[in-house]
């Protein structure tokens, strides 16, 4: 993927200096850069790395003295991660999927594929499926009956798209994700122990021997535009209405979204997060890795939850939370501090008791 | 899937009123219902939705005045989720898997398929596998040598059934689940740090550099009747004896059950739960989402564990638990309350110390 | 897999007694053993089981009186789990994968397969892939363009090896694992709420509506020798440099390793552990089930973390840790004890306050 520095500067809206006709093939860390590489040194701490490597060109922090760094040319990135977004998009070769439909793919005759589709071997596409233009579908993917997917989809190896799932444009599915598995919904003939303790907050009457009867999932999953779903993530179909995910929301590896869950727009659901059935997550919410959300609750817009936060009750919009059960981040920080001192606190109180009893 | 209301009433054992010859095609939420839909309004709070939608028939709470709600007919559900179980089973079209064996499936000649099997493309079934009647096996499934599966199995896309796994009747496997992966069992030539700290509760002698030697899993997995395993869940084979799962137990997405684990009957193992090697889970146990169970412990019958409960020690039968480490739910509730006040408590004690030291 | 006891003794370096020409077919628990089985009774507590079963030969604890136990022959295991490693390797039949390349596998003509490869149906191997001798590749596996895998690989059903992934010798991939999915890396045009609260520890300025722009992953994954990756685990590619895993490290089911993560040698990463982007895990580290590691931190050599430990900050080498947030195991044990007494402590302090205020 050869580009001139001039092309890259243009694409990133970045300023350039020196010989912008230089051609680079890839981006690398400064110390590992060869003469055809663009060294990434968006912070002064990487200056040392530049002298170890052999780069002629680099992406630098604003104001860097590129000539003193021994470079022939430089680009400047005021917001380095944003520059990385544009640069990495230019340099990404994308997966190897040959244009057209591989002879070993099985496409139902009623399915409609948009122009420019690339369908790899061992793909199965079901009855009445509609897929927009320029789809790239890697090997071993299955897309079940009635599913509809927008333009420019990239669906990677072994991803599973369930029946009647509807997905917007520019969708990315990482390998092995399952969209539209059956919800986990079971009921006992009489009141179950779980129903009972939710009312009593823990107390139980006589324990009955009961078996579980399945509630089938008649709904499906509706996903907006610009959504990405991570490797081996699992998103269940709804019971009656669809499970829904808004525009621009990104979902990481091994995330579990239960049946009827609703996630808003532009939210970030990080690795191994679990959201139980029928809960609603607002817009621009960030749930860091391993967060958990109980069923049937609401997490407001712009909430940010730190790693492993466990959310058992509704959270108002804009709150920054941490801990299990979740509280405001600053409260949790104080609790954590106090917890480390708790054994000592207990000793102090015991001492005080002794002293006071003597008084 | 058209049904008369009379048929539905009969199937559910529900009472009906009005024109029971009305035909409905699907079940929907009241506000979204069209004239061919059965509106689901099993609680008075949905009455408003009914007037927004165009349903002629609804499934209502007991005692509802169906005529005043503008309906032509109604069914009444004393226990609404139980009615949903029966209704959703009637209306579920099930996955699109053509009868017979697809020409692009590879079935070992020694495998035995029961009558009425439907086997989708790109399925692989190994040597000596036995599968009962009416099996529906979706695309990309693999069933390894010597596995035996009972009647009426539904095995969805890309599920992996390992060698010599034995499964009862009415089994459901969601997409991507792995049953019978190798156990995670490794040993060091001399005592490992983990063995040491289990004895000393945290103290370590000199640290040795050691590598791990693999213990192969010679056992397999035995699963009872009426079991369901969720999307991308992973259940490991046993080391010598089988990992076992009892009748009627339901396992949700992304659950991890280690080697030699034993789960009893009618238990509910919710999303992202992990059970480490050789632990035993009793009958009718409920582990809510993201619970964890340490290795080699026992969780008694009818235990209910709230979300994210981490179980490090044996739990007696019938207990309702919460927290990390798990304690009785009511105890954890009190601890949580006291935790939120802990920084204030610490300040109070500091104050008391000052006062008392002056006395 | 028939072996004489003499062969087994030789392989394990174990002492034997009695008729070592006896042939055994498999290893079983003592009470379930038939006359062709080697009963596993490496602890005196299994002596009773031996009399229930019908084994003629057993693997016994050192010093056991094999004749009094009614056996014809015995082997002695000073370190029983280590003996299990050798014995289970001898008796493991391994998966059924026919030698040679199955006609329904699709191998790019530029790919190089080492001698003795066994490639099952529906495998896809991409452009320029290199695989060492004696590889066993089960059904539905995909290995993307440019990947390189060493000798004696065992890659099980539906595993996904991404583009340009490099892996050493004796690699084992359990079913459904994904190595080389895209990293979860997104950036907003202006500072995001997450960046802000990291600086302020929880406080936020005005909340902006922003969408996420993708940073593509140009790096890949580099894995050493003797590594095993569990079922449905997910290991992301790096952004610029590779995500790396050292020699001898074992990774369990459903583990998530984010982009740019570095794991050292001989570490044990247990079920459902998550490590966020760019964190480094040292050599011989043990992370028990469901541990979490925040992004951009460092966990030193020989650290052992108990189940569900959540690591938010750097951990020095050799430390044994527990809890969320992680502290030394012994500290967490004391905190846990004090926590159970916390409600009582609060009552005591309230009482003290009353008494002191009267003084």
């Amino acid at each position: 993927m050869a580009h001139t520095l001039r092309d890259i500067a243009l694409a990133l809206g970045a300023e350039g200096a020196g010989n912008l006709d230089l051609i680079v093939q890839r981006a690398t860390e400064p110390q590992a850069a060869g003469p055809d590489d663009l060294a990434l040194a968006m912070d002064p701490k990487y200056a040392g790395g530049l002298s170890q490597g052999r780069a002629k060109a680099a992406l630098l922090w604003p104001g860097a003295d590129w000539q003193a760094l021994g470079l022939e040319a430089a680009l400047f990135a005021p917001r380095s991660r944003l520059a990385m977004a544009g640069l990495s998009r230019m340099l990404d070769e994308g997966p190897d999927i040959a244009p057209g439909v591989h002879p070993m793919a099985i496409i139902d005759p009623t399915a409609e594929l948009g122009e420019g589709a690339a369908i790899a071997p061992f793909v199965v596409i079901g009855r009445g499926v509609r897929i927009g233009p320029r789809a790239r579908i890697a090997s071993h993917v299955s897309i079940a009956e009635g599913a509809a997917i927008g333009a420019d989809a990239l669906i990677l190896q072994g991803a599973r798209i369930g029946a009647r799932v509807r997905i917007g444009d520019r969708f990315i599915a990482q390998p092995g994700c399952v969209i539209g598995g059956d919800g986990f919904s079971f009921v006992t003939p009489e009141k179950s122990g779980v129903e009972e303790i939710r009312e009593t907050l823990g107390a139980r009457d006589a324990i009955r021997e009961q078996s579980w009867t399945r509630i089938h999932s008649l709904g499906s999953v509706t996903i907006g535009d610009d959504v990405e779903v991570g490797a081996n993530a699992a998103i269940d179909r709804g019971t009656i209405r669809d499970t829904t995910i808004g525009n621009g929301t990104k979902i990481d590896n091994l995330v579990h979204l239960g049946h009827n869950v609703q996630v808003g727009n532009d939210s970030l659901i990080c690795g191994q997060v679990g959201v139980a059935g029928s809960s609603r997550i607002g817009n621009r919410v960030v749930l860091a890795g391993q967060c958990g959300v109980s069923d049937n609750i609401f997490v407001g817009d712009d909430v940010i939850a730190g790693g492993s936060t466990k959310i058992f009750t509704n959270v108002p919009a804009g709150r920054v939370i941490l801990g299990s059960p979740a509280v405001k981040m600053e409260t949790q920080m104080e609790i954590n501090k106090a917890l480390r001192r708790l054994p000592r606190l207990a000793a102090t109180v015991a001492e005080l008791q002794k002293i006071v009893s003597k008084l």
Side-chain angles (χ1 to χ4, degrees), chain A:
Chain A
M1 304 285 276
H3 298 276
T4 64
L5 286 189
R6 182 168 286 105
D7 287 347
I8 295 174
L10 206 68
L12 303 191
E15 281 183 48
N19 175 13
L20 297 181
D21 293 322
L22 261 181
I23 288 171
V24 291
Q25 301 277 353
R26 68 195 78 74
T28 55
E29 297 191 306
Q31 72 283 1
D36 295 336
D37 294 344
L38 179 66
L40 300 176
M42 286 96 98
D43 188 288
K45 71 180 172 192
Y46 296 120
L50 278 173
S51 59
Q52 295 164 38
R54 294 178 301 138
K56 295 180 185 167
L59 182 61
L60 296 175
W61 64 97
D65 182 348
W66 59 278
Q67 283 163 312
L69 289 164
L71 298 166
E72 295 182 21
L75 304 177
F76 298 95
R79 182 155 162 74
S80 63
R81 281 172 56 80
L82 190 60
M84 270 305 297
L87 181 65
S88 65
R89 189 174 48 237
M90 286 184 79
L91 296 176
D92 187 358
E93 301 174 16
D96 235 21
I97 308 176
V101 176
H102 194 280
M104 292 293 273
I106 294 182
I107 320 276
D108 190 276
T110 63
E112 294 173 26
L113 298 180
E115 256 183 279
I119 314 279
F122 307 135
V123 166
V124 175
I125 296 182
R127 177 171 48 94
V129 167
R130 282 172 296 120
I131 301 179
R134 295 172 301 281
R136 291 175 292 164
I137 302 184
S139 71
H140 302 96
V141 165
S142 58
I143 303 180
E145 60 274 13
I149 302 175
D152 298 298
L154 174 60
I155 304 187
L156 292 166
Q157 291 84 356
R160 313 271 159 232
I161 312 291
R164 293 173 294 284
V165 168
R166 285 177 302 168
I167 302 178
D169 294 338
R170 292 171 300 282
F171 178 63
I172 300 177
Q174 296 296 328
C177 68
V178 174
I179 299 173
D182 286 326
F184 193 71
S185 190
F186 298 93
V187 60
T188 50
E190 294 168 36
K191 189 181 278 189
S192 71
V194 174
E195 289 169 270
E196 190 173 344
I197 65 160
R198 289 202 166 193
E199 290 166 11
T200 64
L201 297 181
R204 292 185 71 179
D205 224 33
I207 288 171
R208 275 182 296 271
E209 295 210 0
Q210 296 193 116
S211 293
W212 300 98
T213 301
R214 189 169 202 263
I215 296 178
H216 290 242
S217 299
L218 304 176
S220 189
V221 182
T222 297
I223 294 180
D225 294 330
D226 299 298
V227 170
E228 176 161 354
V229 177
N232 288 340
I235 303 176
D236 280 353
R237 52 208 300 121
T239 306
I240 295 299
R241 62 164 197 264
D242 283 6
T243 300
T244 61
I245 296 166
N247 297 327
T249 284
K250 315 295 183 185
I251 295 170
D252 199 358
N253 297 346
L254 294 164
V255 164
H256 163 67
L257 301 182
H259 57 282
N260 299 339
V261 162
Q262 299 177 39
V263 183
N265 299 328
D266 298 317
S267 288
L268 225 54
I269 313 291
C270 300
Q272 297 177 321
V273 165
V275 181
S278 298
S279 280
R280 288 178 297 144
I281 311 290
N283 301 308
R284 296 173 305 279
V285 169
V286 178
L287 300 179
Q290 299 187 335
C291 281
V293 179
S294 286
D295 59 289
N296 288 287
I297 64 171
F298 178 64
V299 177
D301 290 347
D302 300 294
V303 165
I304 300 179
S308 290
T309 296
K310 308 301 181 185
I311 306 175
F312 292 91
T313 52
N314 293 345
V315 184
R319 190 155 285 184
V320 181
I321 56 176
L322 188 65
S324 174
V327 294
K328 283 188 189 173
M329 184 175 277
E330 63 199 44
T331 308
Q332 188 63 47
M333 297 294 218
E334 278 185 40
I335 290 174
N336 289 349
K337 215 181 296 172
L339 260 178
R340 277 193 295 273
R341 295 176 189 150
L342 181 58
R344 216 181 335 144
L345 184 72
T348 304
V349 171
E351 196 117 315
L352 274 173
Q353 261 187 312
K354 257 189 238 165
I355 297 171
V356 169
S357 71
K358 281 182 198 156
L359 289 173

